[in-house]
Amino acid sequence: MKSLFSPRKAALAVAIIATFSLTACQTPASKVAAPAVSSAKATKPVDQTVTQRILGDGLYELAYSPATNTLYVASAQGFKDVNGGMLYRLDPTTLATKGETHTDLKNFGMAINDEGSVIYTTNSLDGAVSKVDAQSGKVLQRVMFGGKDKDGDAVGAREMLLHGDALYVGRVADPGYITVVNTKTFKVKTTIKNIGKWVTGIIYSPLTERIYAANGAGEIAVINPHTHKVEKRWSPNDGKDYLFLNMAEDPATGRLFVTDDSKGKTTLVFDEQTGKVIKRIEGDALGIKFNAKRNEIYISQRESKKVLQLDATTYAVKHSWSFDTNPNSLLVSADGQTLYVSLKQAFNKDNSTKGPDSVARISLK
């Protein structure tokens, strides 16, 4: 895998949002046939539990609103000779388009408020975050953070966490930091510094009432959301190099799942009480979600072109789905019975792609 956070000349790498050897001795994967190149129709894959639709270039994170029964997809569109991005509003059952918005900046990360009225997107390449009306798709407000990296590019805004009235936006710098935005005023409230090299994933734990921030040096920063101070730092301490990406949590058992798709090619399970690694799940791992309703873990394997469904207690693979393109970001529906996946085409050397990206809907029932 290419360097995750290289400058704008390899901007696609910054964009992985974003967005886990389990396959060798587990249940066979169900092969999902590649759909015909058409953005107008949903396709009928071989696996009848899967609906897959080609949608457009540069698809990244997804969000779902039960209030409006809408699936939202962030798009950066193309990286070669293409300005701006897209926000898609889809029917969560058929994946048909309900609406779309062309935006002047490229969209990557996504979050949505509880009411389903407002979407937040990170405009990673421009170091910005946008507030969007969920119904109309209109960009309501935007914060341009400013600041340049050593190559003169904007410091990337990668993953973000919506917690209460604050957006915690991870910044891809060395040292990395988190910009905190007040969602009511939509102005920068404060900055949490020295998180570690490149802030990648961010989640909130209802168990410990702390924010966890993953970084590219293989650390988890434990942050107090009231004081905005880093209280602890967890690391595997096994002498190996890691580049942590995405996280999920099972608050009932106090387990934190962390993926590494670059150096470690593994998913690590941390005990939140001790900060120690209690399990390693080998294999490339990018996106990860925990489903409490089904006691399952889902991992997207971009390199292996698979999505894994694991028993969250035994870590055994219950099922897997294979695709012709690269699974990226994952989203579990509110009722826990549906899994959504953004599927990405491979990049050419000139940052163009081999075709448009897709969205898949997997029925877990």
Side-chain angles (χ1 to χ4, degrees):
M1 184 177 180
K2 293 182 179 179
S3 174
L4 186 66
F5 302 113
S6 49
R8 186 181 295 269
K9 62 184 178 182
L12 61 127
V14 178
I16 294 176
I17 299 298
T19 88
F20 61 13
S21 66
L22 288 175
T23 58
C25 57
Q26 306 296 342
T27 55
S30 300
K31 186 69 175 180
V32 180
V37 180
S38 168
S39 61
K41 298 180 181 180
T43 62
K44 189 177 181 180
V46 173
D47 189 336
Q48 297 301 304
T49 65
V50 180
T51 302
Q52 186 176 335
R53 180 194 169 187
I54 291 179
L55 188 60
D57 294 327
L59 303 185
Y60 286 94
E61 289 199 334
L62 312 102
Y64 172 71
S65 169
T68 61
N69 192 36
T70 302
L71 176 68
Y72 300 91
V73 185
S75 166
Q77 290 200 294
F79 292 96
K80 181 183 179 183
D81 303 325
V82 178
N83 292 315
M86 292 280 290
L87 294 172
Y88 294 98
R89 302 188 295 283
L90 306 182
D91 182 294
T93 302
T94 66
L95 302 182
T97 299
K98 298 171 66 173
E100 56 187 37
T101 297
H102 295 262
T103 58
D104 58 325
L105 299 183
K106 297 183 179 299
N107 308 291
F108 297 91
M110 180 172 279
I112 189 167
N113 66 355
D114 292 338
E115 297 75 24
S117 59
V118 174
I119 301 168
Y120 302 96
T121 68
T122 52
N123 310 116
S124 300
L125 304 186
D126 297 276
V129 62
S130 298
K131 180 179 182 180
V132 182
D133 182 274
Q135 188 63 35
S136 67
K138 180 181 179 181
V139 176
L140 303 173
Q141 292 175 288
R142 176 178 289 153
V143 179
M144 303 294 296
F145 294 128
K148 301 290 184 180
D149 62 18
K150 63 180 181 180
D151 298 294
D153 297 312
V155 176
R158 189 183 186 267
E159 197 73 3
M160 62 181 163
L161 164 71
L162 176 60
H163 177 59
D165 294 328
L167 268 179
Y168 295 81
V169 184
R171 311 301 301 282
V172 183
D174 186 11
Y177 56 97
I178 296 173
T179 302
V180 185
V181 178
N182 184 311
T183 57
K184 293 184 176 180
T185 63
F186 220 61
K187 295 182 178 179
V188 174
K189 180 179 180 180
T190 189
T191 299
I192 306 174
K193 299 180 179 179
N194 296 316
I195 302 302
K197 184 179 181 180
W198 308 328
V199 181
T200 51
I202 310 177
I203 66 170
Y204 174 76
S205 167
L207 173 66
T208 63
E209 298 183 340
R210 294 296 184 267
I211 292 171
Y212 301 138
N215 69 34
E219 295 178 327
I220 304 296
V222 182
I223 302 167
N224 186 321
H226 304 291
T227 64
H228 295 136
K229 301 295 184 181
V230 177
E231 296 181 333
K232 301 176 183 177
R233 295 182 187 273
W234 300 338
S235 64
N237 293 318
D238 57 7
K240 298 180 180 180
D241 290 332
Y242 294 92
L243 197 167
F244 288 162
L245 286 177
N246 299 302
M247 296 178 287
E249 184 202 24
D250 176 9
T253 61
R255 292 176 298 164
L256 180 69
F257 312 103
V258 187
T259 65
D260 181 334
D261 198 55
S262 181
K263 295 182 178 181
K265 298 292 183 184
T266 187
T267 300
L268 298 181
V269 184
F270 283 84
D271 182 329
E272 295 178 65
Q273 298 302 320
T274 65
K276 304 296 184 182
V277 174
I278 57 174
K279 179 69 177 180
R280 296 175 59 94
I281 306 172
E282 301 298 338
D284 60 298
L286 183 62
I288 187 164
K289 294 294 181 183
F290 171 74
N291 185 346
K293 290 182 172 60
R294 296 176 58 91
N295 190 41
E296 291 176 341
I297 302 166
Y298 312 107
I299 297 174
S300 65
Q301 294 188 304
R302 185 181 176 96
E303 182 177 308
S304 302
K305 298 183 179 180
K306 294 181 180 181
V307 173
L308 306 181
Q309 177 186 37
L310 286 72
D311 182 288
T313 300
T314 66
Y315 304 106
V317 174
K318 299 171 65 175
H319 193 73
S320 64
W321 298 269
S322 290
F323 296 89
D324 290 326
T325 51
N326 308 106
N328 199 72
S329 298
L330 302 174
L331 175 70
V332 178
S333 63
D335 65 2
Q337 302 307 311
T338 306
L339 178 67
Y340 297 97
V341 187
S342 62
L343 299 162
K344 300 195 61 59
Q345 292 278 0
F347 285 98
N348 298 313
K349 291 182 179 180
D350 63 354
N351 288 352
S352 64
T353 60
K354 301 183 183 301
D357 296 339
S358 304
V359 174
R361 179 188 188 273
I362 301 175
S363 175
L364 301 171
K365 296 180 181 178

